[in-house]
Amino acid sequence: LEVTQFPEATFTATALDGPLGDLNPNTDTELALTGILDLHGVEKEVTWDVLARRDGDVITATATVNFLYADFDIPLLNIANFVTVEEDVTLQVQLVAQAS
């Protein structure tokens, strides 16, 4: 990932789609979180698939997004054809938010 040259990645949300008012503690609610992912010096719009629940004033969620290394100009790891990676990437983030 060349983290010395690109030490940070950021995501800026621009839209949240789905039945946010339907969050409850018993089932996951599917949402879509769209925004700009800035990774490896490249900005690209991505949409995360979100599964969220609400229990009182606490919301928990798991967000997953898939993309190709090439989408962000990231070279594929290949160490003497001994260690390699696939072209696709899956990022997953777990969130916990509590009202103050």
Side-chain angles (χ1 to χ4, degrees):
L1 293 179
E2 302 173 323
V3 295
T4 302
Q5 185 177 356
F6 304 101
E8 295 183 7
T10 60
F11 175 76
T12 305
T14 57
L16 178 63
D17 295 316
L20 193 57
D22 292 345
L23 298 182
N24 67 71
N26 300 318
T27 58
D28 288 330
T29 298
E30 294 182 12
L31 307 168
L33 179 62
T34 300
I36 303 299
L37 180 59
D38 184 344
L39 178 64
H40 202 255
V42 175
E43 292 183 353
K44 180 174 176 56
E45 184 175 81
V46 298
T47 299
W48 298 72
D49 296 321
V50 180
L51 295 175
R53 290 179 180 225
R54 176 182 214 138
D55 191 1
D57 62 353
V58 176
I59 294 175
T60 57
T62 300
T64 306
V65 66
N66 299 294
F67 56 86
L68 299 176
Y69 281 106
D71 293 341
F72 291 92
D73 296 333
I74 300 172
L76 292 177
L77 176 68
N78 185 336
I79 302 173
N81 290 323
F82 182 70
V83 176
T84 61
V85 297
E86 296 291 324
E87 293 182 14
D88 56 329
V89 178
T90 299
L91 291 181
Q92 190 170 69
V93 178
Q94 293 183 324
L95 308 164
V96 176
Q98 182 171 5
S100 57

